[in-house]
Amino acid sequence: MKNLHHQQNLVFSILISTAIVFTLAGCSDEEKPKQEQAVVQDQTPKVEQHSFDHPHGPEVTDMQKHQFEHDFAAQCVDRELNNSTNKIEDAERLTKSCECIATYMMKDLTAQEAEKFITEHENPQSLRIKFEAAAYECLQEKAHPEGPKLFGKPQ
C-alpha cells in the first residue's frame, strides 16, 4: 500500500514538474521572437510611405477642352434629336442642356479622356460616369415647388 501511495506521489510530482518546465519554456519563447523581429526590422530597408495622392499625368490644354466641349455638345444634340418627334422645338432646349453638360464635364476632364474622345472618337467608361453626373446637375429642376402648408408650418 505504501508502494502505491509512493507511486502516486511520484506521478503527481512528475506531472507538476512537466507543467512547470513547459510553462517556463513557453515564457522564454515569447521574448525571443520579439528580439528576432526587432533585428529583422532593423535590417530591412526603409521604404518611403506614399500618400494616396498620385501624379495625374499631363494636363489637358485649353484648346483640347474647348474642342471637347463643342464636339461633345454637338454629339449630344445629334443623339437626342434622333429620338425627338419635334426636332425644331427640341433643338434649342437640347442645345442649352447639352452645352451645360459638356461644360460641366470639361471641368475635370483628363488628358486621356480628351484624347480618346477627340482623336479616337471613343467614349471611355469614365466619360459615361461623368456624363451621368453632369446630366443630373444640369437637368434637375432648379426651383422646387413649395409643399403643402398645414397650420402655417411648411412641410
Side-chain angles (χ1 to χ4, degrees), residues 23-129:
T23 304
L24 293 177
C27 290
S28 64
D29 284 341
E30 288 179 9
E31 294 298 322
K32 196 171 189 179
K34 289 180 183 177
Q35 292 171 352
E36 289 175 5
Q37 287 176 356
V39 171
V40 171
Q41 288 176 355
D42 291 339
Q43 292 174 354
T44 57
K46 295 195 178 193
V47 179
E48 181 179 325
Q49 295 292 335
H50 296 288
S51 65
F52 288 105
D53 194 22
H54 58 278
H56 297 285
E59 293 292 322
V60 183
T61 64
D62 288 336
M63 190 64 176
Q64 284 177 320
K65 285 183 178 182
H66 186 72
Q67 184 178 359
F68 171 82
E69 183 180 18
H70 285 285
D71 291 350
F72 190 86
Q75 183 188 61
C76 175
V77 170
D78 290 341
R79 182 178 56 243
E80 296 299 321
L81 282 178
N82 285 337
N83 300 330
S84 175
T85 55
N86 190 354
K87 296 181 190 275
I88 297 170
E89 286 183 14
D90 289 343
E92 183 179 331
R93 178 181 56 84
L94 290 173
T95 301
K96 191 176 197 179
S97 297
C98 287
E99 285 176 356
C100 175
I101 291 170
T103 303
Y104 190 87
M105 289 176 65
M106 180 187 67
K107 292 177 184 175
D108 61 343
L109 185 69
T110 65
Q112 291 175 339
E113 292 169 339
E115 181 182 349
K116 288 254 186 212
F117 184 81
I118 295 169
T119 59
E120 299 175 16
H121 305 290
E122 293 181 11
N123 291 321
Q125 183 67 26
S126 58
L127 276 182
R128 292 184 189 121
I129 294 169

